[in-house]
Amino acid sequence: MTTSETFERLGPNSQSPIAACADHAGNSLPPDLALGIGDDVLDQHVAVDLGVRELSQCLAGNHNIPVHVAKVSRLVVDLHRREDDPAVMPKTSDGIAIPGNDAGRLEDRLARFHRPYHAGLENFIEDTEPELFLALHSFTPRLKTSGEKRPWEVGLLYNNDDRAARHAIRLFKNMGFTVGDNEPYSGKQFNATMDRHAETRRIPYLTIEVRQDLVTSAQGQSEWADRIAQVARQTLAALKAN
């Protein structure tokens, strides 16, 4: 395992046909940083993609898929945003104010967390040389600020390259799931990590969003890791056959 303040690597440290990253899997807040929020906020969906770290552990431990996992909370700096995105250091999230995120702290956050995470991810891709790259996320069944229910159990996001997503959408539907096609978020707007690390390299990728209530238990995390590994392997086989 390779680890730093910002990220850790789970699974084999070697070449792998499938590899993954989890930008929002961590909820750590370094002790020298004060965001002005309650400790309970760090356990909510605004701070972390609930269930994704455990899902990553299952993929690494049960399916031998290496995963580059974020440790720091997205409320410190959002690793799934470009450096010039105004939301890279959020001032609010789903109605919760983060008073410690004033503009004067941005450069330090980028230098300390954002850039090392993505430099580490570049090295991870060079080490694993994946033929299919996964980005693991989870989404809340509804946002507090809208109250609108999200019916999808899993979603596939993509920007310009939908080669892998088309296969995965079909495969998850064949399992009987309600599948979001660029839902609950659109990869046309939110695809910073895959734009940077997969699309520029022409590596086929799957950005997978699992509804959080399905991965809150150990059983759910293990079952969804099994499904994701199965879909990823079938997707890779389909890509190679074309």
Side-chain angles (χ1 to χ4, degrees):
M1 178 188 295
T2 300
T3 187
S4 77
E5 181 182 38
T6 308
F7 66 86
E8 60 184 327
R9 292 184 184 180
L10 306 178
N13 189 23
S14 60
Q15 291 183 7
S16 176
I18 301 169
C21 69
D23 296 342
H24 293 154
N27 68 342
S28 70
L29 175 62
D32 60 314
L33 297 183
L35 299 186
I37 58 175
D39 291 342
D40 62 307
V41 175
L42 291 173
D43 294 321
Q44 299 178 29
H45 74 272
V46 296
V48 60
D49 276 1
L50 299 171
V52 169
R53 188 179 190 282
E54 295 83 0
L55 188 65
S56 301
Q57 290 173 320
C58 290
L59 282 171
N62 300 341
H63 299 281
N64 217 35
I65 293 175
V67 193
H68 182 86
V69 179
K71 294 170 66 176
V72 69
S73 171
R74 68 202 296 178
L75 296 183
V76 174
V77 67
D78 194 329
L79 302 168
H80 189 47
R81 302 272 186 167
R82 299 186 312 272
E83 288 192 18
D84 61 354
D85 189 322
V88 70
M89 189 178 68
K91 307 296 188 298
T92 64
S93 183
D94 200 15
I96 296 175
I98 306 116
N101 285 356
D102 60 88
R105 304 177 190 272
L106 176 58
E107 178 55 33
D108 178 67
R109 302 276 180 87
L110 293 174
R112 181 174 171 182
F113 304 110
H114 196 280
R115 291 169 193 151
Y117 176 83
H118 285 283
L121 184 50
E122 289 179 0
N123 292 334
F124 174 76
I125 292 171
E126 290 174 1
D127 291 342
T128 55
E129 298 183 353
E131 300 170 78
L132 178 67
F133 197 52
L134 313 181
L136 307 172
H137 294 269
S138 68
F139 65 95
T140 183
R142 67 178 74 226
L143 292 173
K144 293 178 183 177
T145 49
S146 71
E148 183 178 353
K149 188 176 181 180
R150 292 161 155 177
W152 312 281
E153 289 142 316
V154 61
L156 277 297
L157 278 55
Y158 52 88
N159 187 7
N160 296 313
D161 185 355
D162 67 347
R163 288 176 292 168
R166 288 289 146 224
H167 291 295
I169 290 169
R170 169 180 53 81
L171 290 164
F172 277 120
K173 284 183 176 179
N174 288 345
M175 291 178 173
F177 295 112
T178 301
V179 184
D181 184 340
N182 253 347
E183 298 282 3
Y185 309 102
S186 173
K188 303 294 183 181
Q189 296 175 294
F190 303 110
N191 205 54
T193 296
M194 292 297 99
D195 285 346
R196 176 173 177 174
H197 296 285
E199 291 215 352
T200 57
R201 291 178 169 87
R202 293 293 296 160
I203 301 173
Y205 66 91
L206 297 174
T207 297
I208 301 171
E209 292 266 4
V210 182
R211 206 173 66 209
Q212 287 174 355
D213 59 306
L214 303 177
V215 288
T216 54
S217 69
Q219 179 179 346
Q221 292 151 7
S222 178
E223 289 174 350
W224 274 96
D226 292 347
R227 292 170 186 138
I228 289 170
Q230 178 181 335
V231 166
R233 292 185 176 117
Q234 290 177 341
T235 295
L236 182 55
L239 289 168
K240 287 183 173 182
N242 291 342

